[in-house]
Amino acid sequence: MRPHLPLLLTTALTAAVLGLAPASGAAASDTAAPPGVAAAAGVTAAGTQPFASYWYPNSILNWDPATDPDARFNRSRVPLRPRVSDPTLKANANARAGEGKIASLVSFGPTSNNPSQGSADPNYYAFGYWQYVDKLVFWGGSAGEGLILAPNPTVIDAAHRNGVKVYGTVFFPPTAYGGQLQWVRDFAQKSGSSYPVADKLAQAAQYYGFDGWFINQETDGGDQALATELRNELRYARSLGPVEFMWYDAMTESGSVSWQNALTSANDAFLQESAKRTSDSMFVNFGWTGSGLNSSRTLARSLGRSEYELYSGIDTEANGYNTSVSWGTLFPAGQPHTTSLGLYRPEWTWKSATDRADFYAKDSRYWVGANADPGNTSTSSAWKGLSTYVAESSPITTKPFVTSFDTGQGDFYNSAGVRVGSTGWNNLSLQDVPPTYRWSVSSTGSRLTPSIDFTDAYEGGSSLRLTGTLDATNTVRLYQTQLPVAADTKLALTLKTPTARATNLRAAVAFTDAPTSFSTLDLGSTTGSGWETRTLDLSAYAGRTIAQIGLQTVGSTPSFDLKVGQLRVYDGAVDTAAAPTALTVLGSADVSPTRKSLRLSWAASATGAVHHYEVYRRNADGTRTFLGATPNDAYFVPQLDRAGTESATTLDVEAVSTELGRSTAASTTVGWSTVTESNLALNRPATASAQCNANEGAAKAVNGSVSGGNSDKWCALTSGPALEVDLGSVRPLTRFTVKHAAAGGESASWNTRDFTVQVRNSTTDAWTTAATVTGNTAATTNHPVALSARYVRLVVTRPTQTTDPATRIYEFEAWGS
């Protein structure tokens, strides 16, 4: 295996997937923009999906955010937060603060067609261990798509909220993988005293709001003059403003590509050349040795640079935490770190996972070790977890601090505990700062288990859950902070218990004058099974600074189960922001007669600190459906579905403040063309896998009636029952409506909780899922679609809100034309 191969895997595999040939797969010139590149500037994008930007060296010269219709959707609005790392609060006794850092090279998606603002797919790499990372490289680029890749704003938003810098990627592949030396020369082209491509790199970073670029030059055939020009260009680019560069150990000062696996006299000028700083850091190739790292440290110091600006690479793309690493060389026990660490492709934890639970288990194993405890990384495995070596950092240094334990992905969306969206999603712009300590629990008895719960939420798609046997006091450390307490500072927690009972829970707060000693405030009892908020007055601690926030459980119960939906530290009353104004539909695209995608924009709130804006559609019954959210002033709505035959849909956008106060809404309407819609399942042949008795068969669910009493329904007692309807021919469908137990007058506790709707065109086709619903409580549910099918099927996976086993469906309707 050649020493450079790991940094080629993404691009080579991308080319293979796209059917792109190696060297012959790209033209010698890149004056024409590649497919999907924002160089389609000037062409109205209507309501189509915007994507993250990518270019070749010459095509970026044509990029102008003023004419690129996707540009405004790719802007991050979250500034980089400062971080603190108190050595006395590190979870692991072996970890060291202020020494070696971690740079993480991550592929969040393909180079092309990478959605700007998340998508309707909950299956996403929602990284949550930012406390150990210093820089994140948005990895990508390929000969067949584009060589320069800007990070999408969701990743920038999440990283900046956690104090982590984000770099885009500039990738020049070897000739064997489509690389062309002309691209390198195009990149280094000069106009007078300036470098036009460097000007564009700086412009893109500043406009989009990210921090720098990772330069990976692996194309053979260069000479000393080209290498010198590249160094001059980097120094020029750094002079243009706050833009940083990380250089990959490949091209040497002679112009040849030769991986040194160290900082040597052959490549050191790409880091520092006499008194001239060329790049801000260097990623050292994977074949490093102990002697090589020691000599690298010595050389870096002699150049006036820190050894921690060298990131020694390890490749975990193939084997994750089963990768063999000489940890003692990089992070010698009881001694200063030799260099920093460069991680290549830690998203192995997601790509190799079988489901979300498996991903979270693997990600925990990767970052904090086999015991899911950053303070206890003892294991027979060579991979102890990165918390063994690097102390946690925290961005929580100013008020307000608010978290709803939202991971940036979910199967639904809740607002103030109310279900306002029932479809899956990912959007890292909405990710809250994850707990600093995942999970640090101390107890003299049984340890409770903290987890992220994706079945319930107060805001967003998840919450914090504590479960287990409570037989002794448990202290759960959550966040390291540096929050000054004023006379009007409050700590609010929103929580939920299965039934009304004592919470056995206290808020735990430690202060910088005694950072490891917690003061506790009791949270009392709940009055029911819903979300309840407890607001605690911290005025008694005015003048002190909060160093840690956690939870403490007391008492005993054999089956402790409690959810925390939100935690807030703020001063005075909850602040709100002014409403956005000038809500505008920039364009719409008709996906079908009953579905559109939209590009929206608005003027940002004139006053108040905004965390994000939320986009809703108004429903006929007075409720609203969540369509998405962003910190930006523009948002792409991938799916707006027509409700019945409505002639127009009203959209609302409201500002959510940093304290989660909500503004009034800005509104606009979207019109629909005339269409005739009917219930195509009405009185059609229906069959069921089971029925409770002869009077409650499948036909009762398609007879158009819910008022015929308790027998006017399809009922089944078997596990996973299915109801199938033949529409007679393949028909365009716009929505499904399901009427559950309460629609027929029965108890709402018998409304179907979890189910799917499936479709197919013929009896020989496989069923495909058109809608998935979890956690439903409503009597009637509507499920917009844009598809065609002859056969439709309802499959029930959890029939009621309780343990009652009976499925009760009063009507299953398939609407279309």
Side-chain angles (χ1 to χ4, degrees), residues 96 99-100 261-264 268 271 284 288-312 328-332 334-340:
R96 302 178 73 91
E99 295 183 6
N261 302 298
L263 181 68
T264 71
D268 61 355
L271 182 69
V284 176
W288 47 265
T289 63
S291 60
L293 292 195
N294 287 330
S295 65
S296 297
R297 173 173 55 189
T298 300
L299 180 53
R301 289 176 176 176
S302 73
L303 295 171
R305 302 293 293 272
S306 168
E307 61 268 38
Y308 301 130
E309 292 169 340
L310 304 177
Y311 291 82
S312 300
T329 298
L330 188 61
F331 298 139
Q335 300 178 45
H337 295 157
T338 310
T339 68
S340 291

Side-chain angles (χ1 to χ4, degrees), residues 114-141:
N114 192 339
S116 299
Q117 298 173 309
S119 71
D121 184 0
N123 185 26
Y124 192 74
Y125 181 55
F127 176 62
Y129 288 92
W130 300 102
Q131 63 268 41
Y132 301 110
V133 175
D134 180 64
K135 295 179 177 67
L136 183 138
V137 176
F138 194 81
W139 180 252

Side-chain angles (χ1 to χ4, degrees), residues 657-746:
S657 76
T658 52
E659 295 184 2
L660 297 196
R662 294 176 181 274
S663 75
T664 56
S667 301
T668 191
T669 58
V670 177
W672 297 93
S673 58
T674 303
V675 66
T676 302
E677 184 187 50
S678 62
N679 177 15
L680 303 178
L682 181 63
N683 294 319
R684 293 298 306 169
T687 56
S689 60
Q691 59 190 61
C692 293
N693 56 58
N695 294 325
E696 296 177 323
K700 294 292 182 71
V702 293
N703 65 359
S705 169
V706 296
S707 57
N710 289 352
S711 62
D712 191 12
K713 67 176 182 290
W714 168 57
C715 173
L717 286 169
T718 57
S719 176
L723 170 70
E724 181 179 339
V725 183
D726 179 0
L727 304 181
S729 63
V730 176
R731 306 290 293 274
L733 299 174
T734 57
R735 64 184 168 98
F736 291 97
T737 297
V738 185
K739 297 181 179 180
H740 308 275
E746 298 190 80

Side-chain angles (χ1 to χ4, degrees), residues 339-553:
T339 68
S340 291
L341 168 65
L343 295 174
Y344 182 65
R345 310 298 299 280
E347 79 275 14
W348 170 89
T349 58
W350 171 65
K351 292 196 170 184
S352 67
T354 56
D355 55 27
R356 183 190 291 141
D358 189 37
F359 158 55
Y360 274 85
K362 285 183 172 179
D363 220 32
S364 173
R365 173 75 178 83
Y366 189 102
W367 291 95
V368 301
N371 304 313
D373 180 350
N376 176 16
T377 53
S378 59
T379 175
S380 58
S381 171
W383 189 288
K384 308 300 181 187
L386 296 172
S387 63
T388 307
Y389 314 105
V390 176
E392 298 81 5
S393 294
S394 172
I396 308 169
T397 61
T398 57
K399 293 174 291 181
F401 167 59
V402 179
T403 176
S404 301
F405 304 96
D406 192 315
T407 67
Q409 63 180 170
D411 301 319
F412 56 84
Y413 197 92
N414 280 6
S415 178
V418 177
R419 186 68 48 88
V420 292
S422 299
T423 57
W425 59 277
N426 73 78
N427 186 345
L428 289 182
S429 290
L430 302 184
Q431 185 188 70
D432 291 317
V433 175
T436 313
Y437 308 103
R438 293 178 58 184
W439 301 100
S440 181
V441 182
S442 61
S443 175
T444 56
S446 302
R447 292 173 72 246
L448 292 177
T449 301
S451 63
I452 299 297
D453 178 32
F454 289 96
T455 68
D456 202 357
Y458 186 68
E459 291 285 341
S462 53
S463 57
L464 172 67
R465 188 175 188 180
L466 299 176
T467 55
T469 300
L470 179 61
D471 54 21
T473 298
N474 275 248
T475 300
V476 182
R477 297 173 68 190
L478 291 177
Y479 291 98
Q480 183 182 148
T481 68
Q482 201 173 85
L483 299 176
V485 180
D488 60 349
T489 300
K490 301 178 179 65
L491 170 61
L493 287 103
T494 301
L495 46 84
K496 175 185 281 192
T497 53
T499 60
R501 63 168 176 79
T503 63
N504 299 98
L505 189 68
R506 299 170 176 171
V509 183
F511 300 92
T512 53
D513 51 7
T516 61
S517 177
F518 282 102
S519 300
T520 60
L521 300 92
D522 192 76
L523 294 169
S525 300
T526 55
T527 60
S529 59
W531 290 109
E532 300 181 19
T533 299
R534 302 287 179 268
T535 303
L536 306 172
D537 181 1
L538 298 185
S539 61
Y541 306 102
R544 301 172 77 181
T545 299
I546 301 173
Q548 289 194 83
I549 301 174
L551 300 169
Q552 190 175 90
T553 56

Side-chain angles (χ1 to χ4, degrees), residues 14 18 34-38 49-54 70 74 108-119 124 138 145-146 149 152:
T14 299
L18 295 177
V37 176
Q49 170 72 62
F51 297 107
S53 295
Y54 58 99
D70 286 1
N74 285 313
F108 283 90
T111 296
S112 58
N113 300 322
N114 192 339
S116 299
Q117 298 173 309
S119 71
Y124 192 74
F138 194 81
E145 298 169 283
L149 176 64
N152 59 17

